[in-house]
Amino acid sequence: MHESMRRVQHGPFLYYTCSRLPVRHAFTTRFGGVSTGHCESLNLGFNRGDEEANVRENYRRLAAETGVDETRFTLTKQIHESEVSVVTEDKVGMGLHRPMAWQSDAIVTALPDTPLIGFYADCVVTLLYDPATRTAGVCHSGWRGMAAGILPKAVSVMEAQLGARRDSLIAVLGPSIRQECFETDADVPTAMEQQLGALVRPYIAEKGVKFHVDLQGIGVKLLEDAGLRPENVIDSGICTMCRSDEFWSHRKTHGVRGVQGAMICL
Ligand SMILES: [Zn+2]
């Protein structure tokens, strides 16, 4: 685990934070909610076979725990593409309190008191914060989104539409499946190299007929190449599969699982 990461336990609630982010934020775990069965207990997904009322109560508890306004939670729509949307006042609450009007794996904002949240159960969710301009974002990327360059695209949208500055922007890559656990066939490294070129090669290990891709390493490299300072790009170092005692891992559970959230709020 990166030295800036903190494990926060408060009653039944368990989540992780990063000391480099001086705003309200959390990487949630399985614990702190009211869901039961395979979604026990802090499931934040409406598409996991959970009771809708339980999911809504989980959002209320997350809001109370982290001191954010539950009515302003705004959600990503995770389709493994690379669309980035700006959350303006007319979009606040999307995905929780009003229908989703975007297909955006990443959302960014300059609005205060607006918790943005993306979801993970092995995929990399990155929290973005620029202290110079008070802007923030959340970016979901599995290998497809990573290959499609959604992380540098999110940085570009923050810069172009919100005025964020690359030389002060901080990025924290959250708990996610790491190289030693992320075993794939050749299709994944092949697709990533087709889209990102030779830069991915140092992040791919061959083990017999299988491959192990370092998604976080690629994410860090893409963000540094996008102009972020190396000291401002933080890889949490937490593997959801190794730490399935605290996190749902898609691979570990064979997809029978709830989903965690990575939240940031200016
Ligand atoms: Zn692992």
Side-chain angles (χ1 to χ4, degrees), residues 177-178 180-181 239-243:
I177 193 167
R178 300 183 70 82
E180 71 274 18
C181 291
C239 178
T240 43
M241 190 155 165
C242 290
R243 295 306 312 277

